[in-house]
Amino acid sequence: MNTLFSADYIVPVTDAAIKNGVIEVGDDGVIIGLYRPGYPGLQGREIQRHKGIIVPGFVNVHCHLELSHLLGVIPRHTGLVPFLQRVMSMRGADEERIYQAMEAADQAMYDNGIVAVGDHANTGISASVKSRSRIHYHTFVEVIGFEPEVADQKLEEAGVIAGLFEGGPVSITPHAPYSVSKELFRLLNEEAIRSKLPLSVHNQESEEENRLFRYKVGHFLDFYRHLGKDVSGFKAQARNSLQTFMTYLSPTTPVLLVHNTFTSSKDIYYIERQGRNVSWCFCPNANLYIEGTLPKLKNFINYRHKITLGTDSLASNDRLCILSELKTIHANFPDLSFGETIKWATLNGAQFLGIADQYGSLEVGKAPGLNLLTATNRLNITAETKVARLV
């Protein structure tokens, strides 16, 4: 039996908002119709009426489900390098505790209106949770290997882990410029071309990353010494990390650049000028948690490359909630319109993950999930806005 929902506004994302509109959804979640008030076919039919805004289900393009047991463990504002050291020393835990934390995090994302997730994994431990989840997962198996001589070995090991994730798309992807050699970047690029799947790379989350690539100085050298890594073969590039590692990837390879907290206008223009197949992902609450600062979002919005949103992990966030990320954005950039940022939270992420045929917008024939945003101000969210799943 079909269900009719109405709200103050329905935001299809691909079209203008419909004031007092009605949306019809089948038992399977597929959208049957979108109607303006007074549509003759609605006469005599029961309609669930709500105060607020109806939007599609949220798409979280960057998460680390397997770190969910680190909620509240690592202090805020450590800076990236100390944060990484703590994650590496603390990520091991009782397997049952890790499973329970992942199950709780998956349920929380579902309850927070998230319908699809791009999740980074270093092991196969999250595979069983994902196989039972009501959320669509695209797993990015993260590869780390700074030494050139281990590139082939690292790719082979990642392939074994990728094989554990059955039933969902799996990309093998670089972790970050400071943790992957150019030889391994090139192998991963070849793998992406072969598999026809996107890559997702942590990018310029700290100014220390740029200092490493420009001058070969800073905290990352201490990080490598702590790990016993020999980086004598690494040479300063006299340019930021982004402009270095992107030369190892084909211009047509779809790449999600995540965080971008210290990405400069010159970096953005570099990507634009080369016509690369890039999407930007921002995780504002994680950026504030680790580095205490936000990306300069306004530098990105005037270019053609699409913006998406992620939560990062519970090691660097209090909640896995895209609405919370939107609230932080609007609190810090109040002149941004919700009509723009809702695309970041829905359609743009679905398009990057290759699932826009089902998710990301309210269109007939799609099953994107329906979220009701309450305590809104016309077509704007507020600090009090909450999300409830309708479908």
Side-chain angles (χ1 to χ4, degrees):
M1 184 175 177
N2 297 347
T3 305
L4 297 169
F5 300 96
S6 179
D8 297 330
Y9 292 94
I10 294 178
V11 178
V13 178
T14 51
D15 207 342
I18 307 171
K19 187 174 183 179
N20 299 318
V22 177
I23 185 167
E24 183 175 3
V25 181
D27 287 341
D28 55 0
V30 174
I31 296 172
I32 308 300
L34 283 156
Y35 313 113
R36 299 193 176 277
Y39 178 72
L42 300 177
Q43 292 180 2
R45 300 183 67 185
E46 181 180 348
I47 300 174
Q48 294 187 23
R49 300 192 181 275
H50 301 276
K51 298 291 290 182
I53 306 172
I54 292 177
V55 299
F58 294 132
V59 179
N60 176 5
V61 293
H62 184 77
C63 188
H64 296 258
L65 190 65
E66 66 187 22
L67 298 182
S68 298
H69 64 290
L70 296 181
L71 173 64
V73 172
I74 301 175
R76 297 174 183 271
H77 304 157
T78 60
L80 181 61
V81 174
F83 174 82
L84 292 171
Q85 291 173 323
R86 290 177 187 242
V87 168
M88 293 173 68
S89 65
M90 296 175 175
R91 69 180 302 146
D94 175 73
E95 199 166 274
E96 183 59 29
R97 179 183 161 211
I98 295 175
Y99 276 123
Q100 290 177 356
M102 289 190 297
E103 291 277 8
D106 174 77
Q107 182 63 48
M109 284 196 282
Y110 182 83
D111 293 341
N112 290 331
I114 293 171
V115 296
V117 177
D119 186 66
H120 278 235
N122 295 94
T123 71
I125 197 167
S126 63
S128 62
V129 175
K130 292 171 181 175
S131 69
R132 297 190 298 271
S133 178
R134 290 171 287 181
I135 293 172
H136 170 92
Y137 279 95
H138 184 127
T139 299
F140 292 90
V141 174
E142 206 169 61
V143 185
I144 297 174
F146 200 74
E147 305 93 332
E149 63 273 13
V150 302
D152 289 298
Q153 173 193 337
K154 292 295 183 179
L155 180 60
E156 183 178 346
E157 291 172 354
V160 173
I161 295 172
L164 301 175
F165 293 92
E166 298 178 350
V170 184
S171 297
I172 301 177
T173 199
H175 168 252
Y178 54 78
S179 60
V180 174
S181 66
K182 64 181 179 181
E183 289 80 6
L184 184 51
F185 261 112
R186 287 168 175 157
L187 287 177
L188 291 167
N189 180 65
E190 292 172 5
E191 172 64 20
I193 293 171
R194 184 198 64 78
S195 66
K196 298 181 180 178
L197 290 170
L199 300 177
S200 176
V201 186
H202 296 79
N203 176 61
Q204 294 170 307
E205 195 174 355
S206 168
E207 186 56 35
E208 291 298 318
E209 181 180 314
N210 287 329
R211 294 183 69 211
L212 172 69
F213 277 81
R214 292 189 73 87
Y215 313 114
K216 198 179 178 180
V217 299
H219 295 164
F220 271 108
L221 296 184
D222 298 328
F223 179 63
Y224 297 138
R225 280 192 287 270
H226 175 76
L227 296 176
K229 301 292 185 182
D230 179 12
V231 294
S232 58
F234 177 79
K235 306 299 181 185
Q237 306 297 315
R239 56 183 175 177
N240 285 352
S241 59
L242 178 62
Q243 297 186 40
T244 301
F245 81 83
M246 287 299 288
T247 63
Y248 311 142
L249 304 177
S250 302
T252 56
T253 299
V255 182
L256 187 73
L257 296 174
V258 183
H259 294 300
N260 317 299
T261 322
F262 293 88
T263 301
S264 70
S265 295
K266 289 183 179 179
D267 292 324
I268 301 168
Y269 182 64
Y270 168 84
I271 292 295
E272 187 75 14
R273 189 178 70 247
Q274 291 201 339
R276 288 187 171 269
N277 189 359
V278 157
S279 295
W280 305 101
C281 174
F282 298 114
C283 308
N285 288 329
N287 301 149
L288 291 173
Y289 195 109
I290 298 173
E291 290 279 344
T293 191
L294 293 171
K296 295 178 180 177
L297 287 183
K298 292 183 181 179
N299 288 351
F300 294 82
I301 60 178
N302 293 323
Y303 292 94
R304 68 177 180 85
H305 291 98
K306 291 176 179 172
I307 294 173
T308 65
L309 297 180
T311 60
D312 211 0
S313 74
L314 287 174
S316 59
N317 206 336
D318 298 321
R319 301 182 69 199
L320 302 182
C321 177
I322 291 297
L323 176 60
S324 296
E325 305 299 325
L326 285 169
K327 287 182 179 182
T328 297
I329 288 171
H330 284 281
N332 288 275
F333 304 93
D335 54 341
L336 287 176
S337 75
F338 180 67
E340 177 64 23
T341 62
I342 189 60
K343 295 176 186 175
W344 305 358
T346 56
L347 183 59
N348 290 358
Q351 289 174 336
F352 172 75
L353 293 176
I355 54 174
D357 59 330
Q358 286 294 315
Y359 298 96
S361 61
L362 303 180
E363 298 180 76
V364 173
K366 297 174 69 167
L370 260 62
N371 288 340
L372 174 68
L373 305 182
T374 58
T376 54
N377 178 15
R378 296 185 180 180
L379 267 173
N380 299 295
I381 60 172
T382 70
E384 290 73 40
T385 296
K386 291 182 171 55
V387 58
R389 292 187 70 110
L390 296 177
V391 175

